[in-house]
Amino acid sequence: MSFSGMVKEELSKQTSTARHCNIAETAALLSACGKMTARKTLRMQTENSAVIRKYFTLLKKTFNIETEIAVRESRQMKKGHVYYVELVDEQQIRTLLLGAKLSVDRADGAALCLENSLITQQTCCKRAFIRGAFLASGSMSDPEKGYHFEIVCPDERKAGQLQTLIRSFHIDAKVVQRKKSYVVYVKEGAQIVDMLAVMEANVALMNLENIRILKEMRNSVNRKVNCEMANINKTVNAAVKQIEDIKLIESRIGFHNLNEGLAEIAELRLQYPEATLKELGMMLNPQVGKSGVNHRLRKLSSIADELRVNKEELL
């Protein structure tokens, strides 16, 4: 099962003890997956069995509506199943729509839309509505590969309503149009953790946090290794250049023409090509710090550069 599927499975098993929260979650499910058919029946349809189980439970517990779950083969790609619950009783439909503050979209004639924000006034109800919206049409990427959380909405109005609810929890949700749909999404890892906390998916939250910690540790180790490798390469390249300069000086003018300090460090560098500046400084008598060793080696490099320039001018 995918990480997204595990989150939905966990959320589908949660049922609030507060009726107002259950109403908000029912409204979110119907707003995303519900519609009025041409026969004036109310149909809730999904390809996710966890979603239909949650809707079935909410109908029975919150609205005292007894119904059945129907299953048929999916017409898309000829695989999987489509689960749906259909209400035919006018009184039950009216009770459900009034309670969830839903109405039939006049422009569409079938889709259901939230009439107002009365059912999401309380923070707990906002959490329930977002939970229902994710169950119905949300998804998450595998956190091992990347961080992406999204909920697909059929129109811009519903996307805007959902974005406002999510932002009320100080999460920077954004909206982008994708073909005929509008997608409310969050991409930052820490904010996706916050989204799981909002929806009260505590097990998934802990799993995601563990993955994030391991990834951050791996990234930290990789950064340190890369940094150390870069420093090693830099040190080796510098040592190679220093040795080239020193050998040029030795062949052209000899160490006897250098002052004692430069001659001493030149001989040590040739003798210990892999030694660090600190190690070279410890070998000197009296000992010299890294900056002092670096100053002498730079002086040798400058002398070598002058010798190269003089040779070019002679040629």
Side-chain angles (χ1 to χ4, degrees):
M1 185 183 291
S2 67
F3 189 86
S4 185
M6 287 189 289
V7 175
K8 289 192 176 186
E9 189 67 29
E10 180 183 354
L11 294 178
S12 70
K13 295 175 182 177
Q14 290 187 22
T15 305
S16 175
T17 55
R19 188 172 188 272
H20 47 81
C21 291
N22 290 334
I23 290 174
E25 192 165 357
T26 304
L29 291 170
L30 285 171
S31 180
C33 300
K35 68 175 184 178
M36 292 295 297
T37 69
R39 296 181 290 109
K40 301 301 179 181
T41 61
L42 177 59
R43 171 178 285 210
M44 162 71 180
Q45 180 173 299
T46 177
E47 294 180 357
N48 192 313
S49 60
V51 176
I52 205 69
R53 288 199 310 270
K54 184 63 175 288
Y55 177 67
F56 177 85
T57 302
L58 289 170
L59 282 182
K60 185 175 182 179
K61 181 176 180 179
T62 310
F63 296 93
N64 198 28
I65 295 176
E66 297 283 350
T67 185
E68 294 181 354
I69 298 175
V71 186
R72 64 172 173 77
E73 292 292 325
S74 175
R75 296 172 184 172
Q76 296 181 349
M77 305 298 291
K78 296 183 179 180
K79 62 179 182 179
H81 297 88
V82 172
Y83 306 91
Y84 62 94
V85 169
E86 196 164 76
L87 299 182
V88 298
D89 185 275
E90 290 185 12
Q91 184 58 44
Q92 288 182 339
I93 295 172
R94 188 179 302 109
T95 299
L96 181 56
L97 295 183
L98 285 174
K101 298 295 184 290
L102 293 169
S103 61
V104 179
D105 191 327
R106 293 180 181 178
D108 183 272
L112 302 174
C113 56
L114 199 62
E115 292 180 343
N116 52 58
S117 59
L118 284 176
I119 65 167
T120 55
Q121 289 296 307
Q122 299 185 64
T123 299
C124 57
C125 294
K126 291 177 182 178
R127 292 177 184 273
F129 190 92
I130 294 169
R131 181 166 59 243
F134 178 78
L135 267 171
S137 56
S139 64
M140 278 184 65
S141 62
D142 183 348
E144 290 280 7
K145 300 176 181 178
Y147 300 120
H148 184 80
F149 174 102
E150 70 175 38
I151 299 175
V152 180
C153 301
D155 58 63
E156 189 173 10
R157 177 188 172 189
K158 290 180 179 179
Q161 289 174 333
L162 186 58
Q163 181 188 35
T164 299
L165 289 177
I166 294 174
R167 285 189 168 181
S168 70
F169 292 95
H170 308 291
I171 297 173
D172 186 24
K174 293 181 173 62
V175 177
V176 64
Q177 186 173 5
R178 184 186 298 162
K179 296 182 179 179
K180 295 181 179 181
S181 302
Y182 289 82
V183 181
V184 182
Y185 70 94
V186 178
K187 292 192 72 69
E188 208 275 317
Q191 294 215 325
I192 293 176
V193 170
D194 291 340
M195 281 300 307
L196 292 176
V198 166
M199 297 188 300
E200 299 176 304
N202 298 321
V203 175
L205 185 153
M206 293 303 297
N207 291 337
L208 177 56
E209 281 286 51
N210 289 337
I211 292 170
R212 287 183 69 228
I213 290 169
L214 288 174
K215 286 179 70 175
E216 288 176 5
M217 288 177 62
R218 285 197 296 265
N219 291 338
S220 178
V221 170
N222 288 337
R223 282 195 298 269
K224 289 179 180 178
V225 169
N226 292 337
C227 183
E228 289 176 4
M229 287 300 298
N231 288 335
I232 290 171
N233 290 333
K234 184 178 179 181
T235 301
V236 170
N237 291 335
V240 169
K241 175 67 166 54
Q242 290 161 7
I243 291 170
E244 289 176 354
D245 291 341
I246 291 168
K247 286 182 177 179
L248 176 64
I249 293 171
E250 184 180 26
S251 64
R252 295 287 292 278
I253 63 175
F255 292 159
H256 62 278
N257 286 317
L258 301 174
N259 64 46
E260 184 179 352
L262 293 180
E264 188 178 10
I265 199 67
E267 291 173 351
L268 279 174
R269 174 49 88 194
L270 288 178
Q271 188 177 355
Y272 303 101
E274 296 180 359
T276 64
L277 297 184
K278 183 178 180 180
E279 290 169 343
L280 289 174
M282 296 290 288
M283 298 175 193
L284 294 171
N285 188 19
Q287 294 181 353
V288 177
K290 285 174 60 177
S291 60
V293 173
N294 187 49
H295 175 74
R296 294 185 187 185
L297 289 171
R298 289 175 65 183
K299 181 63 177 177
L300 289 171
S301 179
S302 178
I303 293 171
D305 289 341
E306 289 178 7
L307 293 174
R308 292 187 183 97
V309 171
N310 292 336
K311 182 179 180 180
E312 290 176 358
E313 288 178 351
L314 290 173
L315 293 174

